[in-house]
Amino acid sequence: MSTDTISYCDTYYFSPLIIDYLAKKATLKPFYNRFPEIENFGPQLEEKAEFFNINGKRETLVAVLKEQYEKVPASEATLKNIELLGKDNTFTVTTGHQLNLFTGPLYFLYKIVTTINLAQELKEKYPDHDFVPVYWMATEDHDFEEINFFNVHGKKFQWNLPAVEERGGAVGELPTAGLEDVFKLFSAEIGDTANARQLKEWFKKAYLEHDDLAAATRYLANELFGKYGLVILDGHNRKLKKQFVPHMQQELLEKSSCKASVSSAEALEKEGYSVQVNPREINLFYLEKGLRERIIEKDGNYFVHDQDITWSRQEILELLEREPKKFSPNVLMRPLYQEVVLPNLCYIGGGGELAYWFELKEYFEQQKVPFPILLLRNSVLIQTEKQDQKRRKLNISIPELFLKNHELINRKVRQISNIDIDLSPQKEHLVNQFQELYEVAEKTDKSFLGAVKAQEVKQLKGLENLEKRLLKAQKKKLEDEVSRIAALQNELFPNKGLQERHQNFSEFYLEYGENLIPLLLKYLKPLELKFDILSL
């Protein structure tokens, strides 16, 4: 087992916004509350306690969790954490994720590992308090095509619902019908080792023995992380949404989230950053079985987009009070909902998630809700010992692994060639020679300057073409080394992207079995803010 790290900046896979945030660039300070450093959690928990320890919020949260865990074989650690949430000195660290089939991409594991490890680090630093890792299931999302597949061994295992019309509602309520076919294909792919049998058992019990996607996902996440005290919360709950009614009412009447987030988005764009989410006038959906559509206001009346559902102002406010579960916050309001119902200190997410959180600080301030610390989840590249040996034999450094394929190959070909393929000295010499010709033309006849320039461009282009031809010839000569470099990088960066965004955890569980998650928990350090390379 060996570990390396690389700065996020040197991976070339993260946005300027995230790189600047990690560098604590001053221009971004207005868009977040406190930077993720261990000392900053002290004032954060004081601020959160003042907001949260009132009006029976803790009692409601504990009651909801106990209801949601009634049919779940929760570990002693998880049950203890649920009880601890009833105490004023207990706080959460939270990550959220879609209900991807069989966890989807690898980074689902990294999000939760980061959350569990941060909770442990906080307990060591602040022993008079308790900290609970929470996974917020995104049960109300409705983009089925984003979650209905996972990749193993370069193959896509996709779930196709028998009833197409049921895809429009909250994905958490989707029936697990049709997953028997995925199970058969997946089982045939992974073989019959002990680790494969465990994966099959998890899939079968999660998706073939639970009625809907939310229950299946809760079962699987609990099986993977329950022993570490992870608490899984489904926000699609009447009691929790009842606490959020004042904020949803204000959204309907004043369009508060749009006004605040537009201001922040414009400020981010002014600093040169791309905006992750463009707000709508009202950032609430109407939610029923098989339906999740946005709410629109016009001339004091409210409509559901593309549906024959309308209310007067008084009617929609009465419905909100009576049935808050029928109202679903979208991507811009969900963070506020989470922070209203949880004693949360920190949100852990990927680069894209943190980007839209940066649009929300002004909105939180307007709503008088503490803005959490934002932490970039751990990112990891896992390589086998054999792959690491290949890398070393090919003399590829860790930073070079992250180069684009053609850049890496060109660099290595130049390094291992017995001839100098870099014609930069010749180009520089040529430029100097033409500088003398420019001076001669200036003194004699300025009309020759254009001809000199044209000749310079032509000859530099000729050298560039010659360099490319030499490089191409040398690649052919070193075909074996080139193919081995390309093969290694393609193994570690499938589809020319980060491994964690493409491959499913089952590929690595087949290899490392029950050691996989403990190894991640041991080696990933949430507050180091580095990209990890693990050689297992």
Side-chain angles (χ1 to χ4, degrees):
M1 176 75 205
S2 63
T3 63
D4 286 286
T5 61
I6 182 175
S7 75
Y8 284 99
C9 180
D10 290 338
T11 68
Y12 309 107
Y13 281 97
F14 291 81
S15 69
L17 176 64
I18 295 303
I19 298 303
D20 288 349
Y21 176 57
L22 297 179
K24 295 193 277 190
K25 191 172 179 180
T27 53
L28 277 175
K29 185 64 185 78
F31 302 98
Y32 63 93
N33 191 9
R34 295 180 178 92
F35 193 76
E37 295 169 325
I38 197 73
E39 295 78 11
N40 287 339
F41 283 88
Q44 187 75 25
L45 64 85
E46 290 176 7
E47 183 182 5
K48 189 69 180 191
E50 184 178 346
F51 166 81
F52 194 79
N53 293 341
I54 56 173
N55 300 333
K57 287 186 174 183
R58 288 186 178 275
E59 291 83 350
T60 300
L61 177 61
V62 171
V64 168
L65 285 167
K66 286 182 176 180
E67 287 174 10
Q68 294 186 354
Y69 270 87
E70 279 180 357
K71 297 181 181 179
V72 181
S75 68
E76 286 186 20
T78 294
L79 293 174
K80 179 184 176 184
N81 278 342
I82 291 173
E83 292 295 342
L84 284 173
L85 285 168
K87 298 183 177 181
D88 288 352
N89 65 339
T90 300
F91 298 88
T92 64
V93 289
T94 302
T95 192
H97 197 68
Q98 295 173 297
L99 307 188
N100 293 74
L101 184 60
F102 211 49
T103 77
L106 257 174
Y107 66 77
F108 172 81
L109 265 65
Y110 304 154
K111 276 185 165 184
I112 295 181
V113 167
T114 306
T115 306
I116 292 168
N117 280 349
L118 179 60
Q120 292 176 345
E121 282 192 38
L122 290 173
K123 180 62 177 174
E124 292 172 10
K125 176 67 176 177
Y126 304 97
D128 294 336
H129 297 79
D130 289 300
F131 304 91
V132 175
V134 171
Y135 162 41
W136 180 290
M137 294 198 299
T139 57
E140 295 177 50
D141 282 2
H142 63 167
D143 197 335
F144 180 71
E145 280 67 31
E146 285 187 3
I147 65 164
N148 70 335
F149 67 94
F150 61 98
N151 299 303
V152 178
H153 299 152
K155 298 177 182 178
K156 185 175 183 178
F157 294 85
Q158 184 168 316
W159 173 28
N160 297 305
L161 276 177
V164 176
E165 65 272 14
E166 292 182 337
R167 295 184 187 179
V171 294
E173 296 178 345
L174 288 174
T176 49
L179 281 164
E180 297 88 350
D181 294 338
V182 179
F183 176 64
K184 289 175 186 175
L185 293 170
F186 177 55
S187 297
E189 175 64 30
I190 62 176
D192 198 40
T193 64
N195 291 339
R197 288 194 292 273
Q198 177 64 77
L199 289 167
K200 292 175 192 177
E201 181 183 0
W202 280 334
F203 193 104
K204 183 180 179 183
K205 287 190 173 180
Y207 298 102
L208 306 189
E209 298 180 15
H210 289 86
D211 293 333
D212 60 53
L213 188 56
T217 304
R218 182 189 293 278
Y219 170 84
L220 182 58
N222 183 64
E223 285 293 303
L224 293 173
F225 294 104
K227 68 174 74 173
Y228 307 106
L230 181 71
V231 171
I232 303 164
L233 179 62
D234 182 352
H236 186 35
N237 178 275
R238 187 183 189 282
K239 292 177 182 176
L240 294 179
K241 286 190 176 178
K242 189 73 175 173
Q243 296 181 345
F244 198 53
V245 164
H247 302 279
M248 292 194 284
Q249 185 181 74
Q250 189 175 352
E251 179 71 6
L252 290 170
L253 297 178
E254 302 177 21
K255 304 179 176 69
S256 47
S257 67
C258 179
K259 294 173 184 176
S261 55
V262 162
S263 173
S264 296
E266 289 174 350
L268 282 165
E269 286 184 321
K270 189 176 179 181
E271 295 295 338
Y273 302 111
S274 299
V275 171
Q276 186 74 12
V277 177
N278 291 306
R280 300 187 182 278
E281 278 197 336
I282 294 176
N283 290 289
L284 282 172
F285 287 91
Y286 180 69
L287 187 60
E288 282 186 351
K289 183 72 174 177
L291 174 68
R292 186 176 186 253
E293 272 292 352
R294 55 194 176 94
I295 297 170
I296 302 167
E297 184 270 336
K298 186 176 181 182
D299 299 328
N301 291 310
Y302 294 82
F303 308 84
V304 177
H305 178 64
D306 276 348
Q307 302 292 318
D308 189 23
I309 303 174
T310 64
W311 308 274
S312 67
R313 178 174 299 185
Q314 187 63 32
E315 286 171 338
I316 199 170
L317 293 178
E318 288 174 357
L319 179 65
L320 175 62
E321 192 68 35
R322 187 173 66 251
E323 297 188 70
K325 198 177 175 183
K326 288 193 171 183
F327 294 80
S328 176
N330 78 348
V331 67
L332 280 175
M333 282 195 76
R334 187 206 62 78
L336 185 74
Y337 176 39
Q338 169 194 296
E339 296 301 313
V340 166
V341 301
L342 284 176
N344 195 49
L345 303 178
C346 178
Y347 184 75
I348 294 159
E353 289 176 279
L354 297 197
Y356 69 72
W357 277 85
F358 287 126
E359 298 178 40
L360 298 175
K361 184 165 179 278
E362 185 178 334
Y363 178 44
F364 271 70
E365 290 171 348
Q366 176 202 90
Q367 299 294 306
K368 298 181 171 55
V369 177
F371 195 69
I373 291 172
L374 302 178
L375 176 63
L376 184 67
R377 64 166 172 81
N378 283 107
S379 281
V380 187
L381 172 66
I382 297 176
Q383 55 179 357
T384 64
E385 184 179 352
K386 186 176 180 181
Q387 287 170 329
D388 193 37
Q389 288 173 352
K390 283 182 184 177
R391 178 185 68 80
R392 295 174 188 275
K393 190 172 181 180
L394 290 167
N395 196 30
I396 300 173
S397 68
I398 291 293
E400 285 176 331
L401 268 181
F402 288 81
L403 293 172
K404 299 297 182 188
N405 186 262
H406 70 279
E407 293 175 353
L408 173 62
I409 288 173
N410 288 350
R411 178 181 293 194
K412 302 321 289 183
V413 166
R414 284 188 168 100
Q415 286 178 2
I416 60 181
S417 293
N418 54 9
I419 59 171
D420 190 359
I421 299 174
D422 185 1
L423 300 185
S424 296
Q426 287 83 356
K427 293 176 191 174
E428 185 178 352
H429 180 67
L430 187 64
V431 168
N432 290 334
Q433 284 186 317
F434 271 91
Q435 188 58 41
E436 294 176 12
L437 287 174
Y438 283 126
E439 292 173 2
V440 171
E442 184 77 31
K443 292 176 181 177
T444 54
D445 187 342
K446 291 184 180 181
S447 64
F448 282 108
L449 286 172
V452 173
K453 179 64 178 176
Q455 194 62 226
E456 180 187 23
V457 169
K458 181 180 178 181
Q459 293 196 31
L460 283 172
K461 187 70 174 176
L463 283 176
E464 287 174 5
N465 289 335
L466 181 60
E467 187 176 50
K468 288 177 182 177
R469 291 178 64 185
L470 286 169
L471 187 59
K472 185 177 179 181
Q474 196 64 0
K475 282 182 186 178
K476 190 171 182 179
K477 186 176 179 181
L478 301 170
E479 190 172 355
D480 182 53
E481 287 89 343
V482 168
S483 65
R484 284 189 288 137
I485 291 168
L488 176 62
Q489 196 181 47
N490 290 336
E491 287 176 16
L492 295 174
F493 294 82
N495 284 3
K496 304 188 185 303
L498 289 178
Q499 176 191 83
E500 63 181 31
R501 298 177 188 173
H502 181 76
Q503 290 171 274
N504 182 258
F505 87 98
S506 58
E507 281 196 49
F508 299 89
Y509 194 91
L510 285 170
E511 182 77 21
Y512 306 110
E514 62 184 13
N515 293 321
L516 176 62
I517 290 175
L519 284 169
L520 295 174
L521 287 162
K522 180 178 180 179
Y523 288 104
L524 302 189
K525 308 299 180 188
L527 299 177
E528 282 190 357
L529 304 178
K530 296 284 183 115
F531 193 109
D532 292 278
I533 295 90
L534 302 184
S535 303
L536 305 183

